[in-house]
Amino acid sequence: MTELPIAELPPARCSGRFTISTLLGTEEGGRGPYVPTESSGCDSAQPTQLSGSTLCTRTFGYNTVDVVPAYEHYANSKGVGDTRKGRPSLADLHSILKPDPGHLCVPVSDPQRSNGLTEASPEEASAEPGTDPALEPVRFGWVKGVMIRCMLNIWGVILYLRLPWITAQAGIALTWLIILMSVTVTTITGLSISAISTNGKVKSGTICVCPGMGHEGQGGPKNMLGRQQTPRGASTSSGGTYFLISRSLGPELGGSIGLIFAFANAVAVAMHTVGFAETVRDLLQEHNSLIVDPTNDIRIIGVVTVTVLLGISLAGMEWEAKAQILFFLVILVSFINYLVGTVIPATAEKQAKGFFSYRADIFAQNFVPSWRGPEGSFFSLFSIFFPSATGILAGANISGDLKDPAVAIPKGTLMAIFWTTMSYLVLSATIGACVVRDASGSLNDSVVLGSPGCEGLACAFGWNFTGCAQQQSCRYGLSNYYQSMSMVSGFGPLITAGIFGATLSSALACLVSAPKVFQCLCRDQLYPLIGFFGKGYGKNSEPIRSYMLTYVIAVGFILIAELNAIAPIISNFFLCSYALINFSCFHASITNSPGWRPSFRYYSKWAALFGAAISVVIMFLLTWWAALIAFGIVIFLLGYVLYKKPDVNWGSSMQASSYNMALNYSVGLSEVDEHIKNYRPQCLVLTGPPNFRPALVDFVGTFTKNLSLMLCGNVLVAPRKQKMPDSRLTADGHTKWLMKRKIKAFYTDVVAENLRSGVQMLIQAAGLGKMRPNILVLGYKRNWRTASPQSLEDYVGILHDAFDFKYGVCLMRMKEGLNVSRVLQAHINPTLEAEERNGTRGRAAPSTVDPTTLACEQQASTIFQSEQGKKTIDIYWLFDDGGLTLLIPYLMGRKKRWGKCKIRVFVGGQINRMDEERKVIVSLLSKFRLGFHEVHILPDINQKPRPEHIKRFDDLIAPFRLNDGFKDEAIVNEMRQDCPWKISDEEVDKNRVKSLRQVRLNEILLDYSRDAALIAITPPVGRKGCPSSLYMAWLETLSQDLRPPVILIRGNQENVLTFYCQ
């Protein structure tokens, strides 16, 4: 905390001792002293030195701008136009303060606010008088919103119409096994989704935030009464399962599974509607009142039913919830009616249909399986039953409509699983103990006990069903009659009402879930052409367009009109969703991310992994071709998102996993000894802002992409005490620019008082472990003749520093220059031109870069982005530097844009030994396996250059000469000390041969490589003590007048190539 001396305050401002309640009341009500209002007593009309904040006396008798912890400091999803409430910045607390006593103020306590509570939300408090408050969306608790909804979705068509039939086929024992296997998967998934949903705030009312309306994955702020505040302009739709998976695993898997899950819910609408239509058809058939025929009646009734359900859904969540309560009560009554019916003595009519009340013999016979028909196998029955256990996500799918999703989802989901599981087990056991598998339904089949020719269990009860059983023509019994529960019950119409309630409630739940999931998926804009369906209407942002799409899909599957054909399709899609949910929980747990802190503790990462694995195994055991289709769709959608790389940041476990992998590999790399065979050119590129020198970035990016490290360095030259911009924001902007240019590189910057010290920092500190630069790449200093002497000394000094730190050096020169910036900034980029304009030092740092603006700016095109065709890459390997001069052009030639270029190698030699020297070099290059076959010997490299070129060199160094030939030695030494960059006559004479060599090399380059695509040449090394102007004159002479880019490469004299295999 920044402590300041207490200033004398006006007596009128003093209102006695502060209490914690007064402090919290001001803070939590959204009117803390950092955002002064009238109630704080702060004079906000007179700003202080603190970034526009106001200095207030807070507590304990001294002045500070520090604030106590508050909810709104951590809730970063805000409505457009809201006043920002936050803690002071580090600069506010850390910078030198010049307090003005007139600006110090004390919050005035308000008796009405002393309890620390606010009566109105910040939005309500700031609203103009007379305006109507915004309509509050409908919210549900854990019972009404999750448990009842999940139970209704689980109690679907399978419960009434297929569970008795499954019991007859598989027997009570295997039916229980099918139920428990399904429940195992759903329970583990329920635990996983409970952990995921309690790991932070599941967005309530703001699941999907429209672009530009705030960050994703955070909830709106709550007032002190705990009411959720919905940011203005935000959506109140719920992403449900899609939201949980995508924000946990990331958009790649989350998007694909969200699309599949929405589709599965849409198909589930058809399945439950067909179950309802099948029941209505059976009733019509009993009364001989079919509309057309049995199959088309299902289609007609199904389409009409789903249309009515669509109308209920469009009426809003409140109407839909009321309908669900009604359905729930009907189902409970039907269960009670069924259980009562099992203990009522069977009438003759019911006995003819196979019902004999509880009998141990019937239970024993039905305990074992009796497979019949094409669906008579364990996994076929499992695939038919499993959709009845898939309603566990019905509550999570409307998480945006829950009051407290983090509490409601775990509690409601697990309770729903428990009660529905008990109901399934009880139903299969009771009906298996009461009803035989085959019955004719004819009262004429009653016989006297012990009659001859009677076979089967019913004979002991006075009924002979032998004939229809042998001919497999029985119409009744568990194996033949889907309406067995209705027959057993005390009052059949109540079971029919229960079937109506179960099927319609499940269909309605799926009809609500699918559009909401799809709406959030559309708004995240992960896939093209679906944004149209993301628009919401009304106070709850109802996805009407998504409702219509779900309706069309449901109608399409209703036309199949066969329940046993639709159920297996859904099973695979739901199993795929459950596998991804469990994998999300497991993956988030093993990444050890500090952000994974679910408040729900009763989960296990290994149980989640088991749940994911068993879901995948069951998928293939059920229908292997449907599983392959489901995985094919997931992989296709995953590949699309990976290719498009959507600009989203949800803090997913994939991000945490990437960090873990990178960290582990980086640490592991430190344990590996370096070997020449694994040498990689890792480059520290002095680009300054990378967008200033795109050619330099593209050149290095060409041979380092997917191969080695590239790090763009920038030195911000500024006085030590000067306030610097936010370096993270600046780095983020340059990194986005690099990513848009498809350059795989890092960006880093340092603040230094001069260029050379900044580069020294980068050379010593850049990199991590073994991933450290070994080559310094920078642009050629074109204006060295007109630049300030100090900048010239710094530039050459940087080259000396690089060699001192065992770096290789690579200089790049282009005829048109490297800097493409159009507007000169206050700070000239340090790589080439820092501190050289007017000889000034300590310029201001550049203004903060807006990442979005920088990433969207026009990208400059360079020669390294275009196809080079059948040109040549000329390598002048004049000195043995370890092979770096050969390696970089070789790596360039491996790239597609440079692949057609022919690489030529030029070396110096003697005219009388040309053939021998050429054979030696060819033999050496062949052992390096570089594929260089064209070698040229330069016998005339030692010839004297033309006189006009010699004169040009002399004119080049003339302004930098001391002309000390006839001066006293003491004066000469003093002149050298004062002007170390200048050249003495002695140094000119001593380096005359070396200077003429550079002149001659330039003539050779002009003769041989005028039309090359790229020239790589080994430059001379300037010894320490050599005047910087003389060294720059050598580089200037060597590379002048050349049209292609010239790369001056000098290794650190250590081998980077080897022809050995070990």
Side-chain angles (χ1 to χ4, degrees):
M1 297 176 68
T2 304
E3 300 182 5
L4 303 172
I6 300 176
E8 295 183 3
L9 300 174
R13 296 280 182 93
C14 298
S15 57
R17 182 180 301 165
F18 288 142
T19 64
I20 294 297
S21 62
T22 303
L23 176 62
L24 293 179
T26 304
E27 188 75 27
E28 296 170 351
R31 297 183 177 184
Y34 196 64
V35 182
T37 63
E38 293 178 1
S39 65
S40 68
C42 297
D43 186 5
S44 60
Q46 298 179 354
T48 68
Q49 304 288 332
L50 297 177
S51 304
S53 63
T54 304
L55 183 67
C56 297
T57 301
R58 296 289 290 132
T59 182
F60 308 124
Y62 62 86
N63 298 330
T64 182
V65 295
D66 254 342
V67 294
V68 296
Y71 174 87
E72 52 265 26
H73 298 166
Y74 297 90
N76 62 356
S77 185
K78 299 181 178 297
V80 179
D82 283 355
T83 303
R84 179 169 178 78
K85 312 173 188 64
R87 64 178 71 86
S89 68
L90 185 60
D92 290 338
L93 300 175
H94 188 241
S95 59
I96 298 175
L97 180 66
K98 298 178 181 178
D100 183 353
H103 295 167
L104 302 178
C105 50
V106 183
V108 179
S109 62
D110 187 347
Q112 296 179 354
R113 295 163 60 91
S114 61
N115 59 357
L117 303 178
T118 57
E119 297 299 328
S121 68
E123 286 188 8
E124 293 168 347
S126 61
E128 296 181 3
T131 59
D132 295 332
L135 295 175
E136 185 72 17
V138 179
R139 304 287 182 220
F140 306 113
W142 73 272
V143 175
K144 188 176 179 181
V146 180
M147 189 185 77
I148 291 179
R149 187 176 299 274
C150 287
M151 291 177 72
L152 286 171
N153 213 13
I154 294 171
W155 284 334
V157 59
I158 305 298
L159 170 68
Y160 289 96
L161 300 183
R162 292 297 183 271
L163 186 57
W165 173 75
I166 292 173
T167 303
Q169 290 266 11
I172 296 173
L174 292 184
T175 300
W176 277 39
L177 180 60
I178 289 174
I179 294 171
L180 294 177
M181 282 177 59
S182 302
V183 170
T184 299
V185 175
T186 56
T187 302
I188 293 174
T189 307
L191 295 174
S192 297
I193 206 147
S194 298
I196 295 172
S197 63
T198 58
N199 184 50
K201 186 175 179 61
V202 177
K203 292 184 71 174
S204 177
T206 53
I207 287 291
C208 296
V209 179
C210 298
M213 295 181 182
H215 299 286
E216 317 247 345
Q218 298 291 336
K222 291 181 181 177
N223 59 21
M224 289 301 297
L225 297 176
R227 297 179 64 190
Q228 182 74 22
Q229 305 300 319
T230 303
R232 291 190 294 269
S235 156
T236 56
S237 66
S238 165
T241 306
Y242 159 70
F243 173 79
L244 295 174
I245 298 179
S246 62
R247 270 57 174 181
S248 178
L249 271 182
E252 299 85 2
L253 288 173
S256 57
I257 206 62
L259 203 58
I260 285 180
F261 188 75
F263 178 76
N265 273 280
V267 179
V269 175
M271 182 189 76
H272 295 297
T273 306
V274 166
F276 169 80
E278 189 177 290
T279 303
V280 176
R281 188 272 316 269
D282 290 343
L283 291 175
L284 293 175
Q285 201 167 14
E286 286 182 6
H287 296 84
N288 296 319
S289 302
L290 289 176
I291 303 172
V292 181
D293 57 64
T295 301
N296 284 317
D297 280 11
I298 293 177
R299 293 168 179 160
I300 295 171
I301 297 168
V303 171
V304 173
T305 303
V306 79
T307 304
V308 174
L309 293 177
L310 177 65
I312 296 175
S313 300
L314 294 178
M317 288 297 297
E318 193 170 0
W319 282 94
E320 186 264 348
K322 291 177 180 177
Q324 295 284 29
I325 293 294
L326 177 62
F327 290 145
F328 184 72
L329 294 176
V330 170
I331 292 174
L332 287 183
V333 171
S334 71
F335 272 151
I336 296 172
N337 174 50
Y338 161 75
L339 293 175
V340 170
T342 60
V343 298
I344 296 177
T347 63
E349 183 178 332
K350 288 187 176 181
Q351 287 183 355
K353 294 180 180 180
F355 172 61
F356 298 98
S357 295
Y358 290 106
R359 305 277 183 166
D361 293 343
I362 297 177
F363 181 85
Q365 185 186 56
N366 288 337
F367 190 79
V368 295
S370 175
W371 309 112
R372 300 184 185 183
E375 294 159 344
S377 66
F378 180 83
F379 284 105
S380 294
L381 296 177
F382 183 91
S383 67
I384 293 174
F385 173 80
F386 188 78
S388 66
T390 58
I392 64 169
L393 301 178
N397 286 336
I398 63 160
S399 57
D401 297 300
L402 301 175
K403 291 178 182 178
D404 191 351
V407 173
I409 292 174
K411 196 172 182 180
T413 302
L414 296 177
M415 289 298 293
I417 292 174
F418 174 77
W419 288 117
T420 53
T421 302
M422 295 302 299
S423 67
Y424 283 145
L425 295 175
V426 169
L427 176 60
S428 62
T430 54
I431 204 164
C434 297
V435 184
V436 296
R437 286 190 170 104
D438 293 298
S440 64
S442 175
L443 295 175
N444 297 325
D445 287 338
S446 61
V447 295
V448 179
L449 294 178
S451 299
C454 183
E455 299 178 2
L457 189 62
C459 297
F461 308 130
W463 294 87
N464 184 5
F465 302 137
T466 307
C468 72
Q470 290 177 348
Q471 297 175 7
Q472 296 185 354
S473 60
C474 295
R475 292 182 55 196
Y476 294 95
L478 286 182
S479 297
N480 309 293
Y481 189 46
Y482 289 150
Q483 303 285 350
S484 295
M485 281 187 66
S486 179
M487 180 264 295
V488 170
S489 66
F491 184 60
L494 283 180
I495 295 296
T496 303
I499 295 174
F500 289 174
T503 54
L504 294 179
S505 65
S506 297
L508 189 58
C510 293
L511 188 57
V512 170
S513 298
K516 288 183 174 291
V517 172
F518 193 63
Q519 181 189 36
C520 193
L521 178 65
C522 293
R523 290 187 170 180
D524 281 339
Q525 299 178 352
L526 300 181
Y527 304 107
L529 307 177
I530 63 173
F532 172 81
F533 298 100
K535 182 175 176 59
Y537 299 87
K539 64 180 181 180
N540 271 25
S541 188
E542 295 294 341
I544 294 179
R545 295 176 179 176
S546 295
Y547 274 121
M548 299 309 297
L549 178 63
T550 303
Y551 173 78
V552 172
I553 295 173
V555 168
F557 279 87
I558 286 172
L559 297 179
I560 296 176
E562 178 55 51
L563 188 64
N564 289 359
I566 300 174
I569 299 174
I570 301 172
S571 295
N572 270 281
F573 287 121
F574 276 117
L575 279 167
C576 192
S577 301
Y578 293 171
L580 264 294
I581 291 172
N582 287 308
F583 182 74
S584 299
C585 181
F586 168 74
H587 195 266
S589 301
I590 63 169
T591 55
N592 296 321
S593 172
W596 175 249
R597 304 185 302 274
S599 57
F600 182 82
R601 300 291 184 183
Y602 304 103
Y603 75 97
S604 167
K605 60 183 178 182
W606 301 114
L609 179 61
F610 173 77
I614 198 67
S615 298
V616 173
V617 170
I618 293 174
M619 283 180 66
F620 282 93
L621 290 176
L622 295 185
T623 316
W624 64 268
W625 56 267
L628 289 178
I629 292 175
F631 275 99
I633 294 173
V634 170
I635 292 172
F636 173 77
L637 297 174
L638 170 65
Y640 178 83
V641 176
L642 288 173
Y643 173 75
K644 295 296 291 184
K645 293 183 175 62
D647 187 16
V648 294
N649 181 16
W650 296 332
S652 66
S653 61
M654 287 296 184
Q655 294 172 312
S657 177
S658 298
Y659 177 86
N660 278 2
M661 290 175 63
L663 182 62
N664 291 333
Y665 281 124
S666 297
V667 172
L669 196 61
S670 300
E671 302 173 0
V672 178
D673 293 332
E674 294 181 353
H675 194 282
I676 301 175
K677 281 171 42 177
N678 294 324
Y679 174 85
R680 295 170 185 261
Q682 305 187 120
C683 300
L684 171 60
V685 191
L686 300 185
T687 58
N691 57 316
F692 278 16
R693 293 172 178 81
L696 191 61
V697 172
D698 291 340
F699 162 66
V700 181
T702 300
F703 66 84
T704 59
K705 186 175 183 179
N706 300 325
L707 176 76
S708 58
L709 174 69
M710 175 180 174
L711 198 153
C712 296
N714 185 15
V715 179
L716 304 176
V717 179
R720 183 181 298 275
K721 294 183 180 180
Q722 179 175 326
K723 181 180 179 181
M724 298 305 300
D726 188 347
S727 60
R728 287 180 298 178
L729 184 60
T730 304
D732 186 51
H734 292 307
T735 301
K736 287 182 180 294
W737 183 89
L738 290 167
M739 288 190 295
K740 183 178 179 181
R741 203 171 180 86
K742 298 183 179 180
I743 299 294
K744 295 187 177 182
F746 298 98
Y747 170 86
T748 187
D749 52 33
V750 295
V751 181
E753 294 191 347
N754 59 69
L755 170 64
R756 186 174 181 181
S757 62
V759 175
Q760 288 174 342
M761 295 179 193
L762 287 173
I763 290 175
Q764 295 179 80
L768 179 68
K770 292 292 179 70
M771 295 181 62
R772 299 178 62 85
N774 49 30
I775 300 174
L776 181 68
V777 183
L778 65 165
Y780 176 74
K781 191 174 182 64
R782 300 177 66 201
N783 63 342
W784 64 273
R785 285 172 287 181
T786 58
S788 64
Q790 185 58 48
S791 68
L792 179 61
E793 282 286 285
D794 283 350
Y795 183 84
V796 177
I798 288 171
L799 304 181
H800 290 307
D801 295 336
F803 289 130
D804 287 341
F805 289 109
K806 299 295 183 181
Y807 272 58
V809 172
C810 180
L811 298 177
M812 180 178 176
R813 180 175 186 178
M814 296 183 67
K815 187 175 183 180
E816 62 274 15
L818 294 174
N819 196 332
V820 299
S821 60
R822 297 294 181 262
V823 180
L824 293 177
Q825 298 184 356
H827 164 64
I828 302 299
N829 182 264
T831 302
L832 300 179
E833 295 139 344
E835 305 177 337
E836 64 191 25
R837 299 297 176 91
N838 302 321
T840 59
R841 296 183 60 190
R843 292 178 180 81
S847 59
T848 301
V849 178
D850 179 17
T852 305
T853 303
L854 184 59
C856 294
E857 74 172 17
Q858 185 68 28
Q859 294 274 352
S861 178
T862 68
I863 187 176
F864 298 98
Q865 292 181 317
S866 58
E867 295 285 342
Q868 297 303 310
K870 296 183 179 181
K871 298 181 182 179
T872 63
I873 298 177
D874 291 349
I875 304 173
Y876 289 82
W877 195 23
L878 304 178
F879 306 101
D880 189 355
D881 59 347
L884 187 62
T885 308
L886 296 174
L887 181 61
I888 290 180
Y890 165 73
L891 297 176
M892 294 279 292
R894 290 169 55 179
K895 301 301 178 180
K896 183 178 179 181
R897 291 171 180 165
W898 298 79
K900 295 181 181 179
C901 292
K902 182 171 61 174
I903 298 180
R904 303 187 299 179
V905 179
F906 297 84
V907 295
Q910 299 178 6
I911 193 170
N912 56 348
R913 297 186 57 207
M914 286 181 58
D915 292 339
E916 293 84 350
E917 291 182 353
R918 185 180 182 280
K919 290 179 181 179
V920 170
I921 297 299
V922 169
S923 175
L924 178 61
L925 294 177
S926 65
K927 291 180 180 179
F928 286 147
R929 306 174 306 282
L930 297 174
F932 300 165
H933 303 296
E934 187 170 343
V935 177
H936 298 267
I937 305 299
L938 303 175
D940 52 353
I941 193 171
N942 293 318
Q943 290 182 3
K944 188 175 182 179
R946 292 196 286 269
E948 61 271 21
H949 293 159
I950 297 176
K951 183 179 184 303
R952 184 171 64 175
F953 175 79
D954 291 337
D955 294 340
L956 182 64
I957 65 173
F960 301 95
R961 295 188 61 170
L962 286 174
N963 296 317
D964 57 342
F966 301 101
K967 296 179 181 177
D968 185 63
E969 184 177 354
I971 298 176
V972 170
N973 291 334
E974 184 178 352
M975 292 172 63
R976 288 180 178 176
Q977 188 173 2
D978 294 340
C979 304
W981 61 88
K982 289 204 170 185
I983 313 167
S984 65
D985 292 349
E986 179 185 357
E987 288 163 335
V988 171
D989 295 337
K990 183 172 60 177
N991 294 290
R992 188 64 177 176
V993 175
K994 194 171 186 178
S995 301
L996 294 180
R997 169 65 71 88
Q998 313 313 316
V999 178
R1000 177 56 188 157
L1001 283 174
N1002 181 254
E1003 294 176 350
I1004 293 174
L1005 291 172
L1006 290 171
D1007 291 338
Y1008 287 91
S1009 303
R1010 187 182 300 271
D1011 298 322
L1014 182 72
I1015 300 173
I1017 185 170
T1018 311
V1021 175
R1023 291 186 177 275
K1024 294 180 179 179
C1026 177
S1028 56
S1029 57
L1030 179 59
Y1031 185 67
M1032 290 303 300
W1034 290 342
L1035 299 183
E1036 175 74 22
T1037 301
L1038 179 63
S1039 58
Q1040 65 186 354
D1041 298 335
L1042 293 170
R1043 185 196 59 81
V1046 179
I1047 313 298
L1048 304 171
I1049 307 172
R1050 187 76 199 210
N1052 61 357
Q1053 302 303 112
E1054 294 181 0
N1055 288 350
V1056 300
L1057 296 173
T1058 181
F1059 40 75
Y1060 293 110
C1061 63
Q1062 61 182 15

